[in-house]
Amino acid sequence: MTMSAAAQHSPDPAIEKTPLERYVAPATPSLIGLARGELADRLGEVGVPERQRAMRVRQLWHWLYVRGARDFAEMSSVSKDLRDALARQFTLARPEVVAEQVSADGTRKWLLRLPAEIAGERAHEVECVYIPDSDRATLCLSSQVGCTLNCTFCHTGTQRLVRNLTAGEIVGQVMLARDRLADWPRQGGPPEVPDPRAGRLVTNVVMMGMGEPLYNFAAVRDALLIISDNEGLALSRRRITLSTSGVAPLIPRAGAEIGVMLAVSLHAVTDALRDTLVPLNRKYPIHVLLDACRNYPGLSNSRRITFEYVMLKGINDSLADARALVRLLKGIPAKINLIPFNPWPGTIYECADWEQIEKFSEYVFNAGYSSPVRTPRGRDILAACGQLKSETEKLSARERLALRAMAMTE
Ligand code: SAH
Ligand code: SF4
């Protein structure tokens, strides 16, 4: 590679930061988040003969992901010797919950502590949010501690990227949510669970917490494959949405290797504006991003891409923007998700006026797009997806009151 080519390929720190740390597995690692093949290897390590491994993997998978076992002792169909051998070398640990907040509207937010690379360093924290609704209940998962990207309206974007989450830490968020919600088949119930999906409290998953999921591709893929595995957690791929800020070259791989629903954080209709709101646009401009969307595997009128559009007062909320948005998305099976901007201390942006959001939404709706305005949820606990791990302690009393008042009037 010539010098100039190398220079061209080195990341622009204004667009992408480099992770500071790698994950270092604890001495006794958790089995959560391992693919079936990896689980078989671990069984080999504790002496299970090869011919028995497939059967043992099936049993473990059932205990882990259908039953939600938290202790090897619960695994009554596994021999005591094997349970003891597993318990000596592994755990069934989920990420550690350090705080739980419950909003007046039923939204729950869990603050999770993840180990740091250097022992003794302050542990890392990410959040996971549960948002119950009338027809569904959505769990919003984080994929990274912080984010490598610097979207100017996003609180996560102001934080440095500390490290990527592992597949186990991503699947672990679903496990601990179901633990906390008592969302596993009843203990002591019949040995067979007829339909693991029936009556579940977590019905949908969105990768819309902290981080850019496509910049942690392998772990996010492995985790989502486990979450959608029919013999385990069994969430349909249509009920899982991966949100990206627009990593265009990885969109085809996301479709081919994960196959979940796609959401794209568009937020602007011109490159000039998107360059400032979502700086990754300088690398993958709007036409490149939309081309990748047009070719998203499996795209159809019944499997549309959701375009997210955060409503920023005086920045992207005019009716001219709405018209341009409709023109831009022509020909792509799409839904448009208008998100009221969720302010955070220190931001230069304001949320568009409610009236303006309604006018914008009406225009888009009349042009034939479903355009739900994402109702802010859990504002009293600052739980909106995309604005996780807000430093509530930094809010003044007046700001807290204002947020609470907003939550009450919505
Ligand atoms: N990194 C991914 C997924 C996480 S963010 C992405 O950018 O798509 C999930 C969504 O919340 C994105 O559409 C993001 O742009 C939006 N978002 C971020 N900060 C926000 C804020 N303060 N108010 C409203 N939406 C925000
Ligand atoms: Fe990262 Fe998404 Fe926030 Fe942009 S909007 S900084 S990609 S989390």
Side-chain angles (χ1 to χ4, degrees), residues 202-213:
V202 175
T203 64
N204 291 57
V205 158
V206 293
M207 297 300 305
M208 291 188 189
M210 289 174 82
E212 167 50 56

PDB file of all heavy atoms in Angstrom, residues 202-213:
ATOM      1  N   VAL A 202     -40.994 -10.592  27.302  1.00  0.00           N
ATOM      2  CA  VAL A 202     -40.132  -9.891  26.335  1.00  0.00           C
ATOM      3  C   VAL A 202     -40.511 -10.420  24.956  1.00  0.00           C
ATOM      4  O   VAL A 202     -40.281 -11.586  24.654  1.00  0.00           O
ATOM      5  CB  VAL A 202     -38.636 -10.169  26.602  1.00  0.00           C
ATOM      6  CG1 VAL A 202     -37.768  -9.532  25.527  1.00  0.00           C
ATOM      7  CG2 VAL A 202     -38.225  -9.677  27.979  1.00  0.00           C
ATOM      8  N   THR A 203     -41.145  -9.586  24.124  1.00  0.00           N
ATOM      9  CA  THR A 203     -41.588 -10.082  22.815  1.00  0.00           C
ATOM     10  C   THR A 203     -40.718  -9.570  21.672  1.00  0.00           C
ATOM     11  O   THR A 203     -40.739 -10.145  20.588  1.00  0.00           O
ATOM     12  CB  THR A 203     -43.046  -9.665  22.514  1.00  0.00           C
ATOM     13  OG1 THR A 203     -43.097  -8.233  22.421  1.00  0.00           O
ATOM     14  CG2 THR A 203     -44.004 -10.122  23.606  1.00  0.00           C
ATOM     15  N   ASN A 204     -40.004  -8.471  21.892  1.00  0.00           N
ATOM     16  CA  ASN A 204     -39.202  -7.868  20.825  1.00  0.00           C
ATOM     17  C   ASN A 204     -37.846  -7.430  21.375  1.00  0.00           C
ATOM     18  O   ASN A 204     -37.736  -7.123  22.568  1.00  0.00           O
ATOM     19  CB  ASN A 204     -39.900  -6.620  20.265  1.00  0.00           C
ATOM     20  CG  ASN A 204     -41.156  -6.953  19.487  1.00  0.00           C
ATOM     21  OD1 ASN A 204     -42.075  -7.585  20.008  1.00  0.00           O
ATOM     22  ND2 ASN A 204     -41.195  -6.553  18.231  1.00  0.00           N
ATOM     23  N   VAL A 205     -36.860  -7.419  20.502  1.00  0.00           N
ATOM     24  CA  VAL A 205     -35.531  -6.942  20.900  1.00  0.00           C
ATOM     25  C   VAL A 205     -35.072  -5.896  19.884  1.00  0.00           C
ATOM     26  O   VAL A 205     -35.255  -6.074  18.682  1.00  0.00           O
ATOM     27  CB  VAL A 205     -34.530  -8.125  20.957  1.00  0.00           C
ATOM     28  CG1 VAL A 205     -33.099  -7.659  20.843  1.00  0.00           C
ATOM     29  CG2 VAL A 205     -34.703  -8.907  22.258  1.00  0.00           C
ATOM     30  N   VAL A 206     -34.532  -4.801  20.367  1.00  0.00           N
ATOM     31  CA  VAL A 206     -33.930  -3.809  19.459  1.00  0.00           C
ATOM     32  C   VAL A 206     -32.487  -3.535  19.881  1.00  0.00           C
ATOM     33  O   VAL A 206     -32.195  -3.418  21.067  1.00  0.00           O
ATOM     34  CB  VAL A 206     -34.735  -2.473  19.415  1.00  0.00           C
ATOM     35  CG1 VAL A 206     -36.105  -2.677  18.788  1.00  0.00           C
ATOM     36  CG2 VAL A 206     -34.882  -1.836  20.788  1.00  0.00           C
ATOM     37  N   MET A 207     -31.592  -3.507  18.891  1.00  0.00           N
ATOM     38  CA  MET A 207     -30.198  -3.129  19.176  1.00  0.00           C
ATOM     39  C   MET A 207     -30.142  -1.614  19.015  1.00  0.00           C
ATOM     40  O   MET A 207     -29.720  -1.099  17.986  1.00  0.00           O
ATOM     41  CB  MET A 207     -29.238  -3.796  18.180  1.00  0.00           C
ATOM     42  CG  MET A 207     -29.180  -5.304  18.197  1.00  0.00           C
ATOM     43  SD  MET A 207     -28.673  -6.052  19.766  1.00  0.00           S
ATOM     44  CE  MET A 207     -27.122  -5.253  20.100  1.00  0.00           C
ATOM     45  N   MET A 208     -30.632  -0.912  20.039  1.00  0.00           N
ATOM     46  CA  MET A 208     -30.696   0.545  19.962  1.00  0.00           C
ATOM     47  C   MET A 208     -30.177   1.199  21.237  1.00  0.00           C
ATOM     48  O   MET A 208     -30.470   2.351  21.513  1.00  0.00           O
ATOM     49  CB  MET A 208     -32.139   1.012  19.729  1.00  0.00           C
ATOM     50  CG  MET A 208     -32.688   0.663  18.367  1.00  0.00           C
ATOM     51  SD  MET A 208     -34.275   1.442  18.093  1.00  0.00           S
ATOM     52  CE  MET A 208     -34.774   0.648  16.562  1.00  0.00           C
ATOM     53  N   GLY A 209     -29.438   0.426  22.006  1.00  0.00           N
ATOM     54  CA  GLY A 209     -28.863   1.000  23.221  1.00  0.00           C
ATOM     55  C   GLY A 209     -27.537   1.657  22.882  1.00  0.00           C
ATOM     56  O   GLY A 209     -27.371   2.236  21.820  1.00  0.00           O
ATOM     57  N   MET A 210     -26.579   1.525  23.791  1.00  0.00           N
ATOM     58  CA  MET A 210     -25.278   2.153  23.534  1.00  0.00           C
ATOM     59  C   MET A 210     -24.523   1.391  22.461  1.00  0.00           C
ATOM     60  O   MET A 210     -24.508   0.162  22.443  1.00  0.00           O
ATOM     61  CB  MET A 210     -24.435   2.123  24.804  1.00  0.00           C
ATOM     62  CG  MET A 210     -24.929   3.059  25.868  1.00  0.00           C
ATOM     63  SD  MET A 210     -23.968   2.802  27.348  1.00  0.00           S
ATOM     64  CE  MET A 210     -22.531   3.772  26.963  1.00  0.00           C
ATOM     65  N   GLY A 211     -23.874   2.163  21.586  1.00  0.00           N
ATOM     66  CA  GLY A 211     -22.961   1.549  20.633  1.00  0.00           C
ATOM     67  C   GLY A 211     -23.510   1.390  19.240  1.00  0.00           C
ATOM     68  O   GLY A 211     -24.709   1.489  19.003  1.00  0.00           O
ATOM     69  N   GLU A 212     -22.582   1.163  18.303  1.00  0.00           N
ATOM     70  CA  GLU A 212     -22.946   0.919  16.908  1.00  0.00           C
ATOM     71  C   GLU A 212     -22.818  -0.586  16.671  1.00  0.00           C
ATOM     72  O   GLU A 212     -21.703  -1.120  16.590  1.00  0.00           O
ATOM     73  CB  GLU A 212     -22.009   1.719  15.988  1.00  0.00           C
ATOM     74  CG  GLU A 212     -22.049   1.335  14.526  1.00  0.00           C
ATOM     75  CD  GLU A 212     -23.468   1.260  13.934  1.00  0.00           C
ATOM     76  OE1 GLU A 212     -24.207   2.247  14.010  1.00  0.00           O
ATOM     77  OE2 GLU A 212     -23.821   0.190  13.399  1.00  0.00           O
ATOM     78  N   PRO A 213     -23.953  -1.290  16.554  1.00  0.00           N
ATOM     79  CA  PRO A 213     -23.878  -2.759  16.488  1.00  0.00           C
ATOM     80  C   PRO A 213     -23.035  -3.284  15.332  1.00  0.00           C
ATOM     81  O   PRO A 213     -22.366  -4.305  15.476  1.00  0.00           O
ATOM     82  CB  PRO A 213     -25.334  -3.200  16.342  1.00  0.00           C
ATOM     83  CG  PRO A 213     -26.169  -1.986  16.307  1.00  0.00           C
ATOM     84  CD  PRO A 213     -25.332  -0.791  16.592  1.00  0.00           C
TER      85      PRO A 213
END
